[in-house]
Amino acid sequence: MSSAQDLRPIVIKKVKGHSKPHGNHSWKIAYADFMTAMMALFLVLWLLSSSSPKTLVGVADYFKTPLKVAMAGGDKSSLSKSVIPGGGKDPMAKDGEVMKAMTNDPADAQRRRDQLDTERLRALKGRLEQIIENNPQLRQFRPQLLLDITSEGLRIQILDTQNRPMFRTGSAAVEPYMRTILREIGPVLNEMPNKVSLSGHTDSATYMMGERAYSNWELSADRANASRQELIAGGMQAGKVLRVLGLAETMPLEQKDPLAAVNRRISIVVLNKRAQAQFEAENASAAEVTVQAQKGRMADEMQTQLEAASAPAARPASAPRGRTE
């Protein structure tokens, strides 16, 4: 029995593994990515070939602008002086450096200069407002001080009030609190090299003699000049004043009420570069006309003197010829 059992054949069953019904399709994902990239490439090439140079510059600037700058504002990476794109500020850069103009267009250069000048005037305006708030003497006069930016520059207006006039009635004598305001403002104006223009304004109340004698024209000019003297006494450089004007009641602040106290005011304008250049050019042209007129008068005087000098010498020479002796 044992021998028969030992001779029984041994059957070994091998189970074959079943393959995946659909195979490995991971290559299709890579192929799809490749086709998408190729389509994007051809789209970019088509845009480059059909766009104008100006459009291409705009597209290039768009891709040079970081997302943070595009959303929050700031300088583009193309304006950075760092050798590493996006690497932050250049450690060798110095404060106060101004980037050179990107183009040679004079209009763009003038626009940048005007913008920089306006920013400096705004900074001076903030400085004056801070001084007014920090100075107890000036803080009580804050309602009488108006600061704004105009086409000519930073305008500082000191207004009159019914209970607190800046000058004595009908005269250019400065009241003590007006003197305090002007002498506190004077040194601050030296922080910028810009010239200053002063103008005086009055209300429509006239003198008994009208404009035939001392009038609002003389009064406004005298008050503007008195304000100039107080600014210089407070520390402002004398050479900063470009002009002093008396405008009488021609430019009221309260047009509906010509007699309102606020119409009596002193206007101090820190001129921007454009307005300063315009006024200086006008003064230069006026001075040139004056010089030419003086030269003309001198030439006429010399001609008259020459004629007067030659006339006596001609008469004795003609006398002998007239005689018959």
Side-chain angles (χ1 to χ4, degrees):
M1 296 291 294
S2 59
S3 60
Q5 292 178 353
D6 294 338
L7 296 175
R8 186 177 180 180
I10 300 173
V11 179
I12 300 175
K13 295 181 179 180
K14 294 182 178 181
V15 180
K16 295 181 179 181
H18 297 283
S19 61
K20 296 182 179 180
H22 301 289
N24 187 5
H25 298 276
S26 59
W27 63 272
K28 294 182 180 179
I29 300 176
Y31 182 73
D33 293 341
F34 172 74
M35 293 302 295
T36 303
M38 290 299 295
M39 183 172 62
L41 174 62
F42 288 127
L43 181 61
V44 171
L45 293 176
W46 174 74
L47 289 173
L48 293 177
S49 62
S50 61
S51 301
S52 62
K54 184 176 181 180
T55 304
L56 294 178
V57 172
V59 173
D61 289 339
Y62 173 79
F63 284 104
K64 289 179 181 179
T65 305
L67 180 61
K68 179 181 178 182
V69 174
M71 297 179 64
D75 291 337
K76 300 179 293 186
S77 60
S78 60
L79 302 181
S80 176
K81 298 181 180 180
S82 176
V83 295
I84 304 175
K89 296 181 178 180
D90 187 358
M92 301 299 294
K94 297 180 180 180
D95 294 336
E97 293 181 343
V98 179
M99 185 184 65
K100 294 183 179 180
M102 301 297 293
T103 63
N104 294 326
D105 190 356
D108 291 341
Q110 183 62 43
R111 193 179 303 110
R112 282 189 290 270
R113 287 194 293 268
D114 292 343
Q115 183 178 4
L116 181 60
D117 197 23
T118 302
E119 291 176 357
R120 291 174 177 172
L121 290 173
R122 292 187 185 279
L124 180 61
K125 177 176 178 289
R127 168 96 168 114
L128 286 170
E129 290 176 344
Q130 183 180 5
I131 291 176
I132 293 172
E133 293 298 328
N134 295 337
N135 190 322
Q137 291 182 329
L138 293 180
R139 193 185 307 123
Q140 59 180 331
F141 306 125
R142 187 65 180 90
Q144 294 180 248
L145 298 173
L146 295 181
L147 283 74
D148 60 343
I149 301 294
T150 67
S151 59
E152 294 184 350
L154 171 60
R155 182 174 60 182
I156 308 166
Q157 296 189 95
I158 308 175
L159 310 180
D160 209 348
T161 61
Q162 195 67 34
N163 299 326
R164 186 182 288 167
M166 298 178 297
F167 300 90
R168 294 180 185 175
T169 304
S171 72
V174 182
E175 293 288 355
Y177 40 82
M178 178 63 173
R179 182 178 294 109
T180 301
I181 295 174
L182 293 172
R183 295 194 177 188
E184 290 291 336
I185 293 176
V188 185
L189 301 181
N190 293 329
E191 297 180 4
M192 289 189 65
N194 301 49
K195 298 287 187 178
V196 175
S197 172
L198 288 92
S199 58
H201 303 265
T202 65
D203 56 20
S204 61
T206 59
Y207 288 85
M208 294 181 60
M209 297 294 294
E211 295 187 359
R212 292 175 293 178
Y214 191 87
S215 65
N216 287 336
W217 291 102
E218 289 80 10
L219 177 63
S220 58
D222 291 343
R223 287 181 172 181
N225 191 48
S227 300
R228 178 194 64 83
Q229 295 173 351
E230 294 299 334
L231 288 171
I232 295 175
M236 187 188 75
Q237 300 173 2
K240 291 187 69 66
V241 179
L242 184 62
R243 61 178 187 173
V244 178
L245 303 175
L247 300 177
E249 71 276 7
T250 59
M251 301 178 64
L253 194 62
E254 183 60 49
Q255 298 183 359
K256 295 182 179 180
D257 186 5
L259 294 174
V262 293
N263 291 331
R264 302 188 297 268
R265 65 194 189 278
I266 293 295
S267 179
I268 306 169
V269 180
V270 183
L271 299 170
N272 54 39
K273 296 297 184 180
R274 181 186 291 271
Q276 179 177 332
Q278 179 181 355
F279 294 146
E280 289 176 345
E282 292 175 356
N283 293 340
S285 61
E288 183 178 355
V289 171
T290 303
V291 171
Q292 294 296 334
Q294 291 178 352
K295 289 182 179 179
R297 286 196 297 270
M298 292 177 62
D300 293 341
E301 292 176 359
M302 293 179 63
Q303 184 67 23
T304 303
Q305 292 176 0
L306 290 174
E307 292 177 354
S310 60
R315 284 193 294 269
S318 59
R321 289 195 298 268
R323 295 178 181 175
T324 58
E325 296 177 358

